[in-house]
Amino acid sequence: MQMALAMANSIKKAFLQELTARFGSLERLHRSQSLFTVGDDAARVYVRYSKRHGDKKTFYGLREEDLRELAGHRAVICFLWDDQAEPLFVSFAEYEDVFSAVSPARDGQYKVMIHLEESGAELYIAGAGRFSVAGHSGWNRLHNLIDASRLRYQPDLSHPQVQTLLGAIGSAKGFDVWVPQSDRPNLDWSLTAPFEFRVSLPLGFDPVVSTLAEVDVIWINRGANSLQALFEVEHSTPIYSGLLRFNDVHLAAPNSFPRFSVVSNDTRRDLFARQLNRPTFQASGLHKLCRFLDYGNVIEWHDRVSRQEE
């Protein structure tokens, strides 16, 4: 066991050293031991290691809470194993909908395997099937995935413009979209094609229905009374107030597990981290479900979804 752990640590350490040499400074995300940001959050890299079982199989667990941190970002999952010629890089955006369509195991992890076939590597996701990832190995693959975002662009978006983009993303992904009634006339339809609004909020949230009604953008599973994602756009308002709103929803429906996101300019990222670390959010478990998105992430996410629709 100790020898296997030492091998894993050695391979991971060598990979991170090479990643730093090629792309500059790395930062570990505060809630994960395996999730790193490259440069100024130019990309997120989720690093997983497995020893080889026989000649052709490796096994991995991908934590649901780690995958939450990849959504909306330029992100890759890096699969490492012993005696590997070059790392295998899988773009998370290509498989985001696949993971959304299946459920993690009871331990909160998606179980995946890499099959090392003569025709090339195949990715197996439990409950979803096998996918060819031949040609996804090598540092050039990573360069191609993240070069476009190496230089960060911080757009000056208004609060209604961010709501417009988030609503369009949710609609394109097949969700019903709720935006507060008073905000709808202010949305900017020059940014995206108009989408329809959800007429009413889901049933079963009576204690917090007035709170839900004021959340900036909500994605709701179509044909069901279940929340998929909630977004609070904190353009200049206190981040703490948005977190309190999320916390009320989480405590009223602790088993619904929607994705909570605070959206703001990147300059407020540190403030978000400090506020989320308050004891009240640690005790409720919101700190495990809530993440930060900056405006650049939202624009990139919208652009990717728009291209997929073309």
Side-chain angles (χ1 to χ4, degrees):
M1 176 66 74
Q2 291 183 344
M3 183 175 295
L5 182 60
M7 172 70 76
N9 289 337
S10 174
I11 291 175
K12 185 175 178 180
K13 181 179 179 180
F15 168 78
L16 294 175
Q17 288 176 340
E18 182 67 16
L19 187 64
T20 301
R22 290 173 179 267
F23 296 100
S25 61
L26 302 179
E27 181 179 348
R28 192 197 311 268
L29 290 189
H30 64 283
R31 293 199 298 270
S32 175
Q33 295 299 310
S34 302
L35 190 54
F36 299 84
T37 60
V38 177
D40 185 19
D41 203 25
R44 297 193 170 189
V45 181
Y46 187 27
V47 184
R48 307 306 292 148
Y49 165 82
S50 169
K51 68 177 182 179
R52 290 178 67 155
H53 298 264
D55 292 331
K56 295 186 176 182
K57 293 181 181 179
T58 58
F59 296 85
Y60 305 88
L62 307 183
R63 298 198 311 166
E64 182 180 24
E65 60 187 283
D66 286 336
L67 294 187
R68 287 176 183 268
E69 298 289 345
L70 302 183
H73 297 268
R74 189 174 291 271
V76 297
I77 304 172
C78 174
F79 294 101
L80 303 175
W81 57 83
D82 47 296
D83 299 324
Q84 185 180 26
E86 288 190 288
L88 176 68
F89 297 104
V90 173
S91 169
F92 178 69
E94 296 178 11
Y95 291 90
E96 181 178 355
D97 290 340
V98 176
F99 284 111
S100 296
V102 298
S103 299
R106 291 184 178 180
D107 62 358
Q109 297 187 43
Y110 294 92
K111 306 303 182 181
V112 306
M113 299 170 57
I114 298 294
H115 292 267
L116 305 174
E117 306 291 349
E118 291 184 5
S119 58
E122 292 185 349
L123 169 66
Y124 169 77
I125 302 174
R130 291 170 70 149
F131 306 85
S132 173
V133 288
H136 288 51
S137 295
W139 290 100
N140 285 338
R141 164 73 175 170
L142 182 58
H143 276 280
N144 291 336
L145 288 171
I146 72 174
D147 273 355
S149 63
R150 290 288 300 278
L151 298 176
R152 288 189 61 79
Y153 167 58
Q154 289 299 329
D156 185 17
L157 294 176
S158 68
H159 186 284
Q161 286 177 325
V162 180
Q163 287 178 288
T164 306
L165 293 174
L166 289 170
I169 295 168
S171 179
K173 291 173 72 66
F175 300 115
D176 288 340
V177 177
W178 171 270
V179 173
Q181 298 279 357
S182 59
D183 290 350
R184 296 178 186 182
N186 299 321
L187 298 189
D188 187 350
W189 300 119
S190 69
L191 298 176
T192 188
F195 51 84
E196 295 184 359
F197 300 107
R198 172 92 173 201
V199 175
S200 60
L201 289 166
L203 302 175
F205 296 90
D206 293 348
V208 290
V209 67
S210 60
T211 299
L212 270 180
E214 295 304 317
V215 172
D216 287 322
V217 179
I218 302 176
W219 296 350
I220 303 164
N221 288 317
R222 191 160 293 171
N225 286 317
S226 56
L227 305 176
Q228 174 68 23
L230 286 74
F231 301 88
E232 282 282 51
V233 183
E234 304 299 356
H235 190 68
S236 57
T237 49
I239 286 177
Y240 183 63
S241 63
L243 292 176
L244 283 177
R245 193 171 289 167
F246 285 161
N247 208 46
D248 287 346
V249 175
H250 174 54
L251 291 175
N255 296 318
S256 60
F257 298 115
R259 177 190 304 160
F260 297 102
S261 299
V262 168
V263 187
S264 188
N265 193 289
D266 193 54
T267 58
R268 308 189 81 191
R269 185 185 301 273
D270 289 344
L271 176 59
F272 163 80
R274 292 197 300 272
Q275 296 289 3
L276 192 62
N277 279 326
R278 285 174 175 261
T280 185
F281 303 134
Q282 297 283 319
S284 70
L286 181 69
H287 69 291
K288 295 181 179 180
L289 302 174
C290 189
R291 49 127 186 212
F292 182 90
L293 281 176
D294 68 47
Y295 297 156
N297 299 143
V298 174
I299 287 180
E300 288 185 2
W301 198 358
H302 178 264
D303 287 347
R304 286 200 303 272
V305 170
S306 297
R307 288 194 298 270
Q308 291 171 3
E309 287 193 305
E310 293 176 353

